[in-house]
Amino acid sequence: MEQNEYKQIYGFVIDSLKKNYSAPTVSLWFEPMKIVKLNNSSITVSLPQNRKAFVEAQYYQQLKQTFAEVLGTEVELVLVSEEEEAEMISETQNENVSGIKSEYKMRYNPEYTFKNFVVGKSNQLAQAVSLAVANHPAELNNPLFLYGNSGLGKTHLLFAIINHIRENHPDYKILYVTGEEFTNELIESLAQKKPMTFREKYRNLDVLLIDDIQFIAGKMSVQEEFFHTFDTLFKLNKQIILASDRAPSLINNLEERLHSRFMMGMIADIQPPDKELRMAIFRRKAIDYGVDLKMDVLLYLAENITTNIRQIEGSLKKLKAHTLITGEECTLPVAKAVLSDFFATAKNDETIVDRIFESASKRYGVTKEDIKSTKRNAEIAMARHYSMFLIRQTTNLSLNSIAKLFNKKDHSTVINSIGFIERKMKAEPAFEREIEQTVQELKN
Ligand code: ADP
Ligand code: MG
């Protein structure tokens, strides 16, 4: 098996670990590891020497279990240090093909193109205007604003535009960042008192793409800087492309002048795909992933993955890993056995979240919309703490996914809310009993 496949599988393990461990734990202990060998009975993972003893003592069981879940079969887990790994692979040393920095590699994702973007009713307009911009940057449709729910192909289209422009204009300066990266970079440049370096970088471009631009809403200095970046590029007749998880008018706490600039060029939304389009997309993805999908398996996937196309990637990885390891063919029964937990968990979480919102609105006399809003009155805030705590206790959702349910940008609010409820439980035994009882009810 190839390094790339190992990486894919390990990536999936990381995703899964993120649900149970905090981001710092994952990046400190798990991300430095990699799979070096995999066969149907054992998996060998390497990690830095100085981390090995601790991981073995602290995380071995959980790690093994996560591998079993991802691979859909029990395997022996062997941890080796990087030195030991070097000895193991001394014969075949053809890794590290290029000297490209990993950050750059990730940014330049040649796999997302117009060619492998499947078009249907729900994404037709977004695809067409993206292609038009790719063919004629800064001539029509400036800025281009794409929006739609998570996992519907916005980032794919942004990369398709980049790849297309790169081909026609190899000399163009193109920059892709997320709203979060833009924010962090700006803050860092201010802290280091180097705002000019930041400005030089962002105002000296032919094409600027900012993904998940909604992230900058509510942050005054970031919106201010972005406004000037936007105006400078726009006046120089440079192409600006933005993607967001919602329409400009629905982005809370967005400055009016930014709102009006977002609306100035071309706006296109992406809606969830119908079943026919889902099947076409999944068929295409299966080819990319080298998985042979029979019609009945394809149908099964299309029935179970409905709102977030990204889930197809996880599903295919799981199927691929399973077939590679066991040598079994990917028939419908095999696919069901491998994926049913994966789908069931997702569905189950959705139902529980609904029930929690219902319980919170009754208990605190507020609406579900209030809970998800940014309003701050006492009842609403309590209902929010209560809901976040219960969701964390009873579902597999990561802190970040929970934050998203409440339209929060990162997990810190969730952590604060959980802390709040924990303290209240300690202080008030009656409240503690009530919460514990609710958790039990929700779990059944
Ligand atoms: P978003 O940025 O909207 O959250 P992404 O662009 O990351 O979504 O897409 C999620 C996954 O779904 C990616 O693997 C992407 O390639 C795939 N995808 C979504 N729509 C399509 C499509 N129409 N054709 C092919 N792949 C698609
Ligand atoms: Mg995206």
Side-chain angles (χ1 to χ4, degrees):
M1 217 188 300
E2 276 179 58
Q3 283 300 327
N4 268 346
E5 285 166 348
Y6 288 168
K7 257 193 212 143
Q8 262 185 11
I9 294 173
Y10 196 61
F12 199 63
V13 169
I14 289 282
D15 290 344
S16 186
L17 289 166
K18 279 184 183 154
K19 291 184 195 149
N20 295 312
Y21 296 101
S22 68
T25 303
V26 171
S27 74
L28 180 63
W29 299 108
F30 300 122
E31 271 168 10
M33 300 193 198
K34 71 175 204 248
I35 300 177
V36 291
K37 219 169 85 189
L38 180 60
N39 59 36
N40 55 14
S41 57
S42 84
I43 184 155
T44 308
V45 173
S46 79
L47 72 172
Q49 174 66 37
N50 59 3
R51 289 192 169 53
K52 191 179 154 196
F54 186 80
V55 169
E56 220 150 25
Q58 195 72 23
Y59 298 122
Y60 183 84
Q61 278 312 327
Q62 179 71 41
L63 199 57
K64 187 170 168 201
Q65 197 190 323
T66 309
F67 270 109
E69 275 165 28
V70 167
L71 299 169
T73 174
E74 286 290 329
V75 282
E76 199 48 47
L77 174 63
V78 184
L79 298 180
V80 298
S81 69
E82 280 162 358
E83 288 78 41
E84 291 163 325
E85 177 206 355
E87 284 165 26
M88 282 172 55
I89 55 163
S90 58
E91 334 88 68
T92 48
Q93 230 159 24
N94 53 0
E95 236 202 296
N96 249 342
V97 226
S98 66
I100 309 176
K101 281 205 327 216
S102 65
E103 186 195 9
Y104 184 70
K105 255 201 227 157
M106 197 187 79
R107 284 295 162 247
Y108 179 70
N109 190 337
E111 278 138 43
Y112 288 163
T113 60
F114 284 110
K115 237 164 115 190
N116 61 18
F117 188 84
V118 185
V119 184
K121 268 202 308 287
S122 50
N123 60 20
Q124 207 165 28
L125 175 66
Q127 190 269 354
V129 291
S130 297
L131 188 58
V133 164
N135 279 322
H136 308 281
E139 281 178 39
L140 310 150
N141 310 325
N142 203 15
L144 170 63
F145 191 100
L146 299 177
Y147 72 91
N149 279 340
S150 177
L152 297 183
K154 301 180 296 294
T155 301
H156 187 133
L157 282 175
L158 297 192
F159 278 114
I161 297 174
I162 298 176
N163 290 321
H164 196 92
I165 298 184
R166 239 179 246 269
E167 254 170 45
N168 297 338
H169 307 275
D171 54 318
Y172 269 26
K173 287 202 209 100
I174 305 173
L175 180 63
Y176 166 98
V177 287
T178 62
E180 185 170 7
E181 287 161 345
F182 181 88
T183 303
N184 292 341
E185 233 180 279
L186 174 66
I187 292 170
E188 203 166 301
S189 82
L190 293 176
Q192 294 179 348
K193 305 211 164 31
K194 286 183 183 155
M196 285 321 287
T197 325
F198 182 89
R199 277 173 203 159
E200 257 163 46
K201 175 173 172 185
Y202 279 93
R203 297 184 190 185
N204 188 11
L205 294 167
D206 296 294
V207 184
L208 172 63
L209 304 97
I210 303 192
D211 205 347
D212 293 315
I213 186 72
Q214 76 277 355
F215 188 86
I216 72 165
K219 302 183 171 68
M220 248 169 60
S221 59
V222 185
Q223 293 188 81
E224 166 88 19
E225 183 65 34
F226 176 73
F227 173 78
H228 293 295
T229 307
F230 185 105
D231 266 12
T232 308
L233 289 174
F234 191 81
K235 281 187 192 124
L236 292 169
N237 197 28
K238 306 298 185 185
Q239 179 71 48
I240 299 160
I241 304 169
L242 307 166
S244 157
D245 66 354
R246 63 203 89 161
S249 56
L250 295 177
I251 304 179
N252 286 333
N253 302 317
L254 180 71
E255 279 184 17
E256 180 44 41
R257 57 181 179 169
L258 284 183
H259 179 244
S260 67
R261 270 158 186 79
F262 292 171
M263 310 285 293
M264 231 160 66
M266 172 55 83
I267 298 204
D269 68 334
I270 307 187
Q271 292 295 327
D274 60 18
K275 190 159 158 192
E276 198 185 337
L277 179 57
R278 294 202 298 280
M279 302 235 328
I281 295 174
F282 298 169
R283 189 179 291 131
R284 172 76 227 188
K285 284 278 166 203
I287 296 171
D288 295 343
Y289 276 78
V291 180
D292 182 20
L293 278 193
K294 309 265 181 309
M295 194 60 187
D296 51 355
V297 178
L298 199 60
L299 259 168
Y300 172 68
L301 290 171
E303 266 152 23
N304 282 283
I305 302 175
T306 52
T307 50
N308 183 339
I309 298 301
R310 191 170 294 120
Q311 287 181 333
I312 189 62
E313 296 187 332
S315 309
L316 289 174
K317 278 181 206 167
K318 263 190 127 154
L319 288 177
K320 172 138 199 193
H322 183 84
T323 48
L324 279 168
I325 282 219
T326 61
E328 278 183 323
E329 229 186 296
C330 183
T331 57
L332 184 59
V334 168
K336 278 189 176 164
V338 174
L339 297 174
S340 61
D341 274 0
F342 181 72
F343 291 146
T345 319
K347 269 222 184 80
N348 195 21
D349 284 350
E350 224 172 89
T351 337
I352 292 188
V353 168
D354 281 346
R355 282 166 59 198
I356 290 173
F357 278 129
E358 219 168 89
S359 150
S361 6
K362 268 203 206 115
R363 190 185 165 110
Y364 295 100
V366 298
T367 67
K368 184 173 165 181
E369 284 64 42
D370 285 338
I371 301 176
K372 292 184 160 200
S373 73
T374 49
K375 292 184 197 159
R376 284 165 194 253
N377 83 41
E379 283 76 32
I380 297 175
M382 253 323 281
R384 207 173 286 139
H385 298 321
Y386 173 87
S387 311
M388 287 186 183
F389 179 86
L390 288 176
I391 292 174
R392 182 64 185 170
Q393 289 291 313
T394 55
T395 69
N396 287 303
L397 294 174
S398 66
L399 293 171
N400 277 326
S401 322
I402 299 176
K404 279 206 181 121
L405 285 174
F406 292 81
N407 297 312
K408 299 285 183 235
K409 277 151 210 140
D410 61 49
H411 57 260
S412 56
T413 339
V414 184
I415 291 176
N416 289 340
S417 291
I418 292 172
F420 181 90
I421 296 291
E422 280 170 351
R423 285 191 300 279
K424 193 169 158 70
M425 283 167 72
K426 272 212 187 96
E428 300 168 29
F431 182 69
E432 182 178 19
R433 273 195 304 278
E434 223 176 303
I435 291 279
E436 275 167 2
Q437 198 186 334
T438 313
V439 168
Q440 278 321 312
E441 281 166 17
L442 288 165
K443 279 188 175 168
N444 292 330

